[in-house]
Amino acid sequence: MVQHALNRQVGSSRGLWNRAGYALLYVILIAAAVLQLLPLIWLLLFSLKNNQEVFNLPPFALPPQPHWDNYAKVWSNGNIGTYFMNSVWITIVSLVLTVLLASFVTFAVTRMRWKGSSFVLGLFMVGMMIPVHSTLIPLFSMFQKLNLTDNPLSVILSYVAFNLPTTIMILLGFYYALPGEVEEAAVMDGCSVNRMFFRIVLPMTSSVMATTAIINMIYNWNEFIFVNTFISSDQYKTLTVGVQNFIGQYTTDWGAIGATLMISILPILLVFLILSDRIVEGIAAGSVKG
């Protein structure tokens, strides 16, 4: 009887500590979420101010008369519509090429037996250690010789080259974990390698491909250095570079800059919120090697 009461007391005490631990964890997570949202809230309020209000009002103060016309101004006068569409199609083309090529490489390295596969994989992984800034001058010189400067193709090729190693690394674990029996059965039924890859392997890897697609999309959409280095014409610039149009020699339209940044953030933020579960699912699936 005494032992039963003692066990009950210990269990109750342990449950109390567990609830306190969970409460503390939730407080920390909520605080972290608020800290993450503060820059977005600040940028939204920033985009609704004129130059005088930007410097005279507190950072998180709502202006007396919100300037929603900043958004209309950047869309009509700032050529933001063209920059937005350039960001969309350059991001999509680069994403598709990167994921498809990375899938080819990963399938060849993990599911096919040939000499030098480990060496080739090592070459791709070395690409992750090369700083982007160290390649700007060689790339610019090469694209200049190929007449690809001020051409979207130079940006697309750069995105694909620098995103391939990371994409392959994410795909590797998932491909190693794929059951070989399915492919063996397909080969015995007379299925060719190409047909097996497109009809069997790609559908089986759809979750991890979605993860790599989202990660590539975020990088391509927010990238600034390559576009700013290789592109000079307004007709090919993307949103991240187009914001410079509102920085003049003597004056800077800070409200328009804030509106442009908000327009550039919203699409990728919405996509991330909708598909964030796929990122976790794909990374978790690709982290286990069977």
Side-chain angles (χ1 to χ4, degrees), residues 195-225:
R195 187 175 181 185
M196 179 175 62
F197 176 78
F198 286 105
R199 295 290 185 87
I200 299 174
V201 176
L202 278 187
M204 290 174 65
T205 60
S206 60
S207 62
V208 73
M209 284 179 63
T211 300
T212 57
I214 295 168
I215 294 173
N216 277 278
M217 178 176 59
I218 294 172
Y219 172 84
N220 295 343
W221 185 271
N222 294 324
E223 203 280 326
F224 173 83
I225 296 174

Side-chain angles (χ1 to χ4, degrees), residues 98-118:
T98 303
V99 174
L100 195 58
L101 289 175
S103 298
F104 289 160
V105 173
T106 310
F107 177 79
V109 169
T110 59
R111 316 303 290 182
M112 302 173 71
R113 296 179 181 178
W114 49 287
K115 291 182 179 180
S117 60
S118 299

Side-chain angles (χ1 to χ4, degrees), residues 13-34:
S13 176
R14 186 177 299 169
L16 183 62
W17 277 106
N18 287 339
R19 287 193 294 271
Y22 277 116
L24 179 61
L25 177 62
Y26 278 116
V27 169
I28 294 173
L29 292 176
I30 291 172
V34 170

Side-chain angles (χ1 to χ4, degrees), residues 73-184:
K73 179 169 57 178
V74 300
W75 196 267
S76 58
N77 302 333
N79 209 23
I80 295 302
T82 301
Y83 301 153
F84 184 88
M85 293 309 301
N86 287 339
S87 292
V88 169
W89 77 263
I90 289 176
T91 296
I92 292 175
V93 172
S94 304
L95 183 154
V96 171
L97 287 175
T98 303
V99 174
L100 195 58
L101 289 175
S103 298
F104 289 160
V105 173
T106 310
F107 177 79
V109 169
T110 59
R111 316 303 290 182
M112 302 173 71
R113 296 179 181 178
W114 49 287
K115 291 182 179 180
S117 60
S118 299
F119 176 73
V120 170
L121 178 60
L123 287 179
F124 279 103
M125 294 300 103
V126 166
M128 297 182 64
M129 297 183 287
I130 300 175
V132 173
H133 301 83
S134 66
T135 65
L136 290 178
I137 295 176
L139 283 175
F140 185 84
S141 177
M142 181 183 71
F143 289 141
Q144 199 170 34
K145 292 176 182 177
L146 296 173
N147 294 322
L148 289 179
T149 53
D150 199 22
N151 189 319
L153 187 58
S154 61
V155 177
I156 293 172
L157 291 175
S158 301
Y159 288 173
V160 173
F162 276 91
N163 287 332
L164 265 179
T166 305
T167 307
I168 292 171
M169 185 186 68
I170 297 173
L171 293 174
L172 272 175
F174 195 89
Y175 270 77
Y176 277 125
L178 286 178
E181 293 79 5
V182 178
E183 297 170 39
E184 292 173 2

Side-chain angles (χ1 to χ4, degrees), residues 220-274:
N220 295 343
W221 185 271
N222 294 324
E223 203 280 326
F224 173 83
I225 296 174
F226 288 132
V227 180
N228 192 50
T229 304
F230 303 142
I231 302 298
S232 57
S233 299
D234 270 357
Q235 60 178 331
Y236 299 131
K237 286 182 180 179
T238 59
L239 270 175
T240 52
V241 178
V243 70
Q244 296 180 93
N245 284 1
F246 302 101
I247 302 176
Q249 184 175 1
Y250 302 106
T251 59
T252 299
D253 193 340
W254 294 107
I257 290 176
T260 304
L261 292 175
M262 277 302 299
I263 291 174
S264 68
I265 289 173
L266 286 176
I268 203 70
L269 182 63
L270 290 175
V271 171
F272 180 80
L273 290 175
I274 294 170

